[in-house]
């Protein structure tokens, strides 16, 4: 989602801002812009589309100045046009923003009688207008920003720059993260530490409600109560901020291929001695029920884990998408553990759902990939999934590491509740320990999957089928296919086929069936036969035993290694990811930054 950077430098800042924005490209955006203050005057350059358009503009129309702010915009209010691109300006103030100002219409009405009218479709411009209004009332920039922020409803990260102020940026955080970077006589602001990595590894994260007054001498931070706040400076590990494709064509393939390694890291941390090892605070004997909430791919990892928690640990488990959960306002019974899963840890709906559960659930545990994120900080316990930075908008390694942690949690739950013996736990953990090797075997099928994808690319639509936990795999496969290749894709629990979707079956609809040779195999194969009886075009993804039983009549087949209840959904995720990746390659879509998508969805 929108990216923010700001620099108070020694030298010209425009190239530094553009480079920092480049490091935020992974968040997804549709326009970009920068503003500087030079010889006291504010100036802006903005361009629609990729950052290269802004760089080209700056070649022909450079922007001087040693102080500046920049932004990559993911449109919410108003189309992706230059006019609506940030920074937004009004008189002596310019601002960049991530989030949504919910009361912008009311503020516009309030400001209109004072001769301030909006010239864009955005909510953000209202912030600049409001701040300009307070400056016109005689307030200095500090007081004007405080007064402005006090009047805003919604979730936001804001960064202001002022006419005549070449040594001042003001940053405000409410709902969207912001990091302050400390340099040598220079200061920086960024949506995350990644943007600031080449400039500094000394970072201060703002807390909810903080306003930071940044000059080259440092940052003065006030908290939500207006009190001076002492926020720690942290050294960021450079490894955590390396953004590099490591020889791969796309971040997505790099991240797909990293899965065996990052899964091993998660296993070493959370099952170092052949049994799950979580902090003592996570005592499953306290809970009679689990509620899991997430969005998108995280939701599908929860859906997979529902099968594990219920079948292995015998604990009732409810799963919901965060945007429904938060407004459904479900009753949360005593002795409930609430689990929130989020790669970024900043997803607005998941955070709101977590806040709803606070004070109702007995314990809130989050699974996050960003330890400093809002979701991590607001949980009773945050478990790092240890996937390493995930740059590709489409989540891959975060998904399989979420599954790894959830599988271990299901085992810990069963063990602590006395329904799974220590021996059974050891067997399951050893199954999980074998997964990185199974993943490597699955990755060797890359070329074969590419061939399958080339055949699939002309399709208008694809249907994915699976039973049990493989239903969740089918859903994740359909999501990956949609977001990467823009081909319509749906997933069904294969037993549901005859209750409607079977009407879709004809030779033009590719049907991909996930069916490891397990206790549900025969049932899934019966559904597959129903598809083939109607001249459906079936790709069967199974193992050697499955192929020997049921390959007749299928058009494509993929042989994965033999898997078990826990390893299956993790291993089968890889061909699902590669199938979507290669279909997108065949169609020539933007793989790492698919259209309309953002990496960190910080708006509702
Ligand atoms: C799909 C994808 C999204 C995210 C979703 C939640 O590939 O990445 O569906 O899973 O936006 O994001 P997080 O996990 O950051 O809360």
């Amino acid at each position: 989602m929108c990216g923010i950077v700001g620099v108070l430098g020694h030298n010209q800042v425009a190239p530094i801002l553009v480079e920092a924005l480049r490091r935020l490209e992974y968040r997804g955006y549709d326009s970009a812009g920068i503003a500087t203050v030079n010889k006291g005057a504010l100036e802006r350059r903005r361009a629609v589309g990729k950052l290269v358009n802004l760089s080209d503009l700056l070649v022909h129309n450079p922007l001087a100045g040693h102080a500046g702010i920049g932004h990559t915009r993911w449109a919410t209010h108003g189309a992706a046009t230059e006019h609506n691109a940030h920074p937004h300006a009004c008189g002596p103030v310019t601002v960049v923003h991530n989030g949504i100002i919910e009361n912008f219409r009311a503020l516009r009405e309030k400001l209109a009688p004072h001769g301030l009218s909006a010239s864009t479709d955005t909510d953000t411009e209202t912030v600049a207008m409001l701040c300009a209004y307070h400056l016109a009332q005689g307030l200095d920039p500090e007081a004007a920003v405080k007064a402005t922020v006090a009047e805003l409803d919604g979730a936001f990260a804001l960064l202001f720059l002022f006419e005549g102020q070449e040594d001042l940026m003001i940053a405000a955080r409410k709902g969207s993260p912001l990091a302050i970077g400390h340099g040598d006589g220079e200061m920086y602001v960024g949506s995350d530490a990644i943007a600031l990595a080449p400039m500094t590894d000394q970072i201060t994260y703002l807390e909810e409600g903080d306003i930071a007054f940044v000059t080259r001498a440092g940052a003065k931070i006030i908290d939500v109560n207006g009190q001076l706040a002492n926020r720690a400076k942290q050294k960021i590990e450079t490894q955590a901020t390396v953004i590099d494709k490591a020889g791969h064509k796309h971040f997505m393939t790099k991240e797909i291929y990293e899965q065996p390694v990052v899964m091993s890291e998660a296993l070493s941390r959370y099952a170092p001695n052949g049994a799950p090892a979580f902090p003592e605070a996570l005592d499953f004997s306290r809970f009679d029920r689990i509620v899991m909430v997430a969005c998108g791919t995280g939701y599908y990892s929860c859906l997979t884990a529902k099968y594990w928690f219920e079948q292995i640990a015998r604990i009732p488990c409810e799963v919901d998408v965060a945007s429904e959960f938060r407004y459904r306002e479900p009753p949360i019974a005593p002795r409930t553990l609430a689990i929130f899963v989020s790669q970024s840890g900043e997803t607005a709906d998941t955070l709101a759902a977590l806040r709803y559960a606070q004070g109702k659930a007995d314990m809130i545990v989050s699974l996050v990939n960003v330890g400093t994120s809002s979701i991590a900080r607001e949980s009773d316990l945050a478990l790092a999934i240890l996937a390493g930075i995930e740059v590709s908008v489409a989540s891959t390694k975060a998904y399989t590491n979420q599954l790894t942690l959830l599988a271990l949690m299901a085992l810990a739950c069963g063990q602590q509740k006395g329904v799974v013996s220590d021996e059974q736990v050891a067997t399951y953990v050893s199954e999980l320990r074998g997964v990185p090797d199974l993943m490597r075997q699955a990755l060797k099928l890359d070329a074969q999957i590419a061939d399958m994808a080339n055949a699939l690319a002309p399709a208008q639509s694809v249907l994915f089928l699976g039973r049990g936990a493989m239903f969740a795999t089918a859903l994740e496969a359909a999501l990956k296919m949609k977001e990467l290749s823009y081909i319509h894709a749906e997933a069904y629990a294969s037993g549901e086929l005859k209750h409607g979707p079977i009407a879709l079956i004809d030779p033009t609809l590719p049907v991909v069936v996930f069916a490891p040779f397990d206790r549900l195999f025969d049932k899934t194969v019966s559904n597959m036969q129903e598809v083939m009886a109607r001249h459906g075009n079936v790709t069967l993804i199974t193992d050697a035993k499955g192929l020997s039983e049921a390959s007749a009549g299928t058009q494509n087949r993929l042989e994965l290694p033999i898997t078990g209840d826990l390893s299956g959904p993790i291993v089968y995720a890889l061909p699902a990811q590669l199938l979507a990746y290669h279909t997108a390659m065949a169609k020539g879509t933007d793989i790492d930054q698919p259209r309309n998508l953002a990496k960190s969805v910080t708006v509702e």
Side-chain angles (χ1 to χ4, degrees):
M1 207 131 270
C2 304
I4 289 177
V5 291
V7 178
L8 296 176
H10 296 308
N11 303 312
Q12 297 294 329
V13 291
I16 306 173
L17 289 169
V18 172
E19 186 46 39
L21 289 177
R22 211 178 297 290
R23 297 175 66 81
L24 289 174
E25 276 191 297
Y26 76 96
R27 296 164 73 98
Y29 67 104
D30 37 44
S31 60
I34 61 173
T36 58
V37 55
N38 184 36
K39 297 189 183 130
L42 289 174
E43 255 200 280
R44 297 180 286 168
R45 301 284 181 272
R46 297 169 297 164
V48 174
K50 293 285 174 191
L51 259 182
V52 66
N53 299 340
L54 179 65
S55 319
D56 286 353
L57 179 69
L58 287 163
V59 170
H60 302 292
N61 204 352
L63 202 53
H66 293 186
I69 58 178
H71 189 263
T72 46
R73 174 174 187 248
W74 187 83
T76 58
H77 294 68
T81 59
E82 183 185 333
H83 197 58
N84 288 332
H86 301 214
H88 285 288
C90 183
V93 58
T94 185
V95 65
V96 289
H97 165 220
N98 178 18
I100 288 183
I101 307 300
E102 285 168 1
N103 59 336
F104 79 99
R105 286 190 189 84
L107 291 171
R108 274 185 187 174
E109 277 170 29
K110 170 191 154 151
L111 294 168
H114 302 279
L116 290 163
S117 55
S119 63
T120 74
D121 308 318
T122 67
D123 52 338
T124 307
E125 188 193 15
T126 322
V127 181
M129 286 158 55
L130 187 58
C131 191
Y133 165 78
H134 287 301
L135 289 167
Q137 301 303 301
L139 298 187
D140 64 16
E142 253 191 67
V145 169
K146 281 190 210 165
T148 300
V149 168
E151 288 183 67
L152 302 178
D153 291 339
F156 49 80
L158 294 164
L159 184 61
F160 298 83
L161 194 68
F162 302 89
E163 189 178 275
Q165 303 279 348
E166 302 199 19
D167 191 22
L168 179 67
M169 298 185 285
I170 303 183
R173 174 197 168 136
K174 186 186 155 206
S176 292
L178 273 180
I180 310 280
H182 304 260
D184 188 7
E186 297 193 330
M187 288 293 285
Y188 319 98
V189 176
S191 312
D192 60 37
I194 294 164
L196 309 181
M199 283 105 74
T200 182
D201 60 0
Q202 300 293 319
I203 298 291
T204 301
Y205 287 101
L206 294 189
E207 300 278 331
E208 279 299 280
D210 280 357
I211 302 182
F213 307 95
V214 185
T215 66
R216 286 180 181 79
K220 179 182 89 178
I221 300 172
I222 59 164
D223 66 15
V224 69
N225 301 314
Q227 300 302 311
L228 210 53
N230 193 7
R231 305 278 177 239
K233 202 191 278 185
Q234 308 176 17
K235 187 172 174 359
I236 300 298
E237 292 303 322
T238 44
Q239 198 49 37
T241 54
V242 171
I243 296 199
D244 157 22
K245 291 187 192 147
H248 286 268
K249 206 171 163 85
H250 295 99
F251 283 108
M252 186 180 179
T253 34
K254 177 195 167 219
E255 289 161 7
I256 289 174
Y257 274 80
E258 279 173 352
Q259 289 175 106
V261 172
V262 294
M263 178 171 176
S264 300
E265 279 162 15
L267 287 168
S268 305
R269 166 79 69 88
Y270 295 106
N273 303 311
F278 291 104
E280 264 176 33
L282 184 55
D283 172 6
F284 285 96
S285 65
R286 287 170 49 202
F287 312 120
D288 293 339
R289 185 168 162 268
I290 292 177
V291 170
M292 286 193 283
V293 181
C295 300
T297 287
Y299 171 66
Y300 296 137
S301 63
C302 293
L303 209 55
T304 310
K306 176 181 167 70
Y307 290 89
W308 294 333
F309 276 111
E310 293 189 341
Q311 283 170 358
I312 297 173
R314 308 303 300 158
I315 184 166
C317 188
E318 187 194 328
V319 181
D320 207 349
V321 288
S323 54
E324 286 302 310
F325 181 86
R326 62 183 290 193
Y327 293 115
R328 192 161 58 87
E329 299 185 355
I332 297 185
R335 294 176 62 83
T336 296
L337 167 67
I339 301 177
F340 295 84
V341 176
S342 173
Q343 188 284 129
S344 63
E346 299 295 347
T347 300
D349 281 322
T350 310
L351 183 58
L354 182 152
R355 287 178 179 157
Y356 170 77
Q358 276 167 343
K360 299 184 184 76
D362 275 43
M363 185 179 191
I364 293 186
V365 174
S366 61
L367 270 63
V368 290
N369 204 25
V370 182
T372 52
S373 61
S374 307
I375 288 174
R377 285 197 304 215
E378 296 197 24
S379 307
D380 298 323
L381 175 68
L383 298 172
I385 61 163
L386 305 176
I389 179 169
E390 191 179 67
V391 174
S392 161
V393 165
S395 188
T396 54
K397 60 178 181 165
Y399 176 65
T400 44
N401 266 29
Q402 287 161 0
L403 290 177
T404 305
L405 261 73
L406 288 166
L408 290 169
M409 286 170 80
L411 295 180
C413 180
Q415 195 174 27
Q416 289 172 17
K417 287 185 147 301
V419 296
V420 186
S421 69
D422 292 354
E423 293 70 38
Q424 285 169 312
V425 166
T427 309
Y428 276 125
V429 170
S430 111
E431 179 189 334
L432 286 171
R433 289 205 157 278
V435 173
D437 271 343
L438 301 184
M439 285 174 157
R440 288 188 187 95
Q441 290 175 43
L443 290 171
K444 289 195 182 129
L445 304 172
D446 199 345
Q448 199 187 332
I449 297 170
D451 288 344
M452 285 164 51
N454 288 336
L456 205 138
Q460 295 286 315
S461 186
V462 184
L463 183 61
F464 291 90
L465 298 177
R467 262 180 194 263
M470 283 294 147
F471 169 42
T473 309
L475 285 161
E476 169 61 3
L479 176 63
K480 285 285 157 294
M481 185 59 77
K482 277 183 277 226
E483 62 183 338
L484 288 161
S485 72
Y486 314 151
I487 294 177
H488 169 253
E490 273 198 77
Y492 267 89
S494 56
E496 270 292 293
L497 192 66
K498 61 175 83 59
H499 300 289
I502 200 161
L504 295 170
I505 303 298
D506 72 13
T508 67
L509 177 74
V511 180
V512 181
V513 182
F514 295 100
F517 190 80
D518 57 15
R519 68 195 165 84
L520 298 174
F521 180 77
D522 289 340
K523 304 279 176 204
T524 311
V525 165
S526 301
N527 304 131
M528 190 179 86
Q529 300 292 353
E530 290 158 10
V531 172
M532 293 191 298
R534 287 157 184 85
H535 310 292
N537 163 353
V538 168
T539 295
L540 174 61
I541 303 187
T542 182
D543 46 40
K545 285 191 200 159
L547 280 184
S548 74
E549 295 279 325
S551 59
T554 58
Q555 290 209 318
N556 289 296
R557 291 151 294 278
L558 191 71
E559 183 186 323
L560 291 179
I562 307 274
T563 54
D565 288 347
L566 295 182
S567 51
I570 307 179
V571 174
Y572 278 62
L574 274 61
Q577 297 162 352
L578 286 170
L579 193 62
Y581 172 80
H582 287 296
T583 309
M585 281 288 280
K587 297 203 70 180
T589 54
D590 187 346
I591 289 179
D592 283 332
Q593 291 159 28
R595 69 182 178 204
N596 306 337
L597 293 181
K599 184 68 185 158
S600 171
V601 185
T602 49
V603 295
E604 222 184 303

